[in-house]
Amino acid sequence: MTTASELAREGTLRAARREAARTALLNATAEILSEATQIEASLSEISRRSGVNSAMIKYYFGDKQGLLMALLEREAEREMSGLDALVAMDVSAERKMTIHVEGIVNAYYRSPYLNRLVHYMVEAGGPEASARVSEMFITPMMAAYRQIVAQGVREGTMVDVDPALLYYALVGAADHIFFAAYSVPTTLGVAKVDVGIKQAYAALLRDLFLRGLRPTGA
């Protein structure tokens, strides 16, 4: 007769297997999207790379759109928690902006599909998906920019700029080298963006934005 402890252990093992399969599907999708220039990932390819039956996508996520949203939610949890911690740090506004610029470039280097997926879900996912994406990414980032800029204004190191415009400028600049990865061999003479290029690009953006945000004569 199966004991209560054995049933509990079996339940724990089943939950662990489910979580492992779910994670494998998310990781495979992220890997495929990182290699592509569009948001294209077939169920068969996701299944092949993950080693999980494609029918399990419906079981865990409902459909492929649900899988893509779950991938975005995983990215948001990682990136936005870091943003909250950054805003709360006891450092200058310029230091916070430096950390953020380097962090957002690192995020796109690690997940080059991220901004494309945000736009895809907003455009193709319907009103509910659009609202969810805004809630996860856009609204928190603009709130953080509002607080950092306000701090910079108080410290005399930043002019008062619209956080929405800063969002478009910074996100667009940080993402473009990864969005336009097809052009890297022509423009930079290398096969792809490597760590050295990523670090140099982050340093360039940091200097451009910090100088651009400083008051005249500061």
Side-chain angles (χ1 to χ4, degrees):
M1 183 174 181
T2 305
T3 66
S5 62
E6 288 173 333
L7 288 173
R9 186 163 54 251
E10 289 175 8
T12 300
L13 290 173
R14 284 195 299 270
R17 285 193 292 268
R18 286 194 297 269
E19 184 58 28
R22 188 177 188 278
T23 299
L25 289 168
L26 289 171
N27 289 345
T29 304
E31 180 181 289
I32 294 166
L33 295 182
S34 293
E35 298 167 359
T37 57
Q38 302 293 328
I39 302 302
E40 296 176 354
S42 70
L43 297 183
S44 60
E45 180 62 9
I46 294 170
S47 175
R48 186 186 70 79
R49 294 208 193 189
S50 66
V52 178
N53 191 298
S54 61
M56 301 308 291
I57 292 174
K58 183 176 182 179
Y59 177 78
Y60 291 119
F61 305 104
D63 55 21
K64 190 163 76 171
Q65 292 292 97
L67 170 62
L68 294 175
M69 181 61 78
L71 181 59
L72 262 187
E73 288 172 344
R74 187 174 74 169
E75 294 286 351
E77 182 178 358
R78 175 170 54 192
E79 303 303 337
M80 295 303 106
S81 62
L83 190 58
D84 289 340
L86 173 64
V87 172
M89 288 176 66
D90 185 20
V91 297
S92 70
E94 285 201 332
R95 179 59 184 155
K96 289 179 182 179
M97 187 59 69
T98 295
I99 294 170
H100 176 61
V101 170
E102 293 173 351
I104 197 170
V105 172
N106 281 331
Y108 290 138
Y109 178 75
R110 181 175 57 248
S111 305
Y113 58 84
L114 182 54
N115 206 35
R116 290 196 302 273
L117 184 54
V118 167
H119 286 289
Y120 174 83
M121 294 304 296
V122 168
E123 294 170 3
E128 289 187 9
S130 178
R132 178 65 179 137
V133 170
S134 294
E135 177 188 351
M136 286 191 295
F137 284 98
I138 301 172
T139 300
M141 290 183 75
M142 288 199 300
Y145 293 169
R146 187 175 293 109
Q147 294 180 67
I148 293 172
V149 169
Q151 179 186 344
V153 170
R154 293 194 301 271
E155 293 170 350
T157 58
M158 293 183 183
V159 295
D160 190 11
V161 298
D162 186 329
L165 297 180
L166 182 58
Y167 166 82
Y168 286 122
L170 182 48
V171 170
D175 170 64
H176 192 68
I177 192 171
F178 306 106
F179 177 81
Y182 60 85
S183 67
V184 166
T186 300
T187 57
L188 298 176
V190 295
K192 63 179 181 178
V193 175
D194 58 22
V195 172
I197 292 172
K198 181 259 295 184
Q199 292 173 339
Y201 191 59
L204 173 63
L205 292 185
R206 176 199 66 210
D207 291 344
L208 287 174
F209 277 93
L210 288 181
R211 291 173 185 172
L213 288 168
R214 284 178 189 145
T216 303

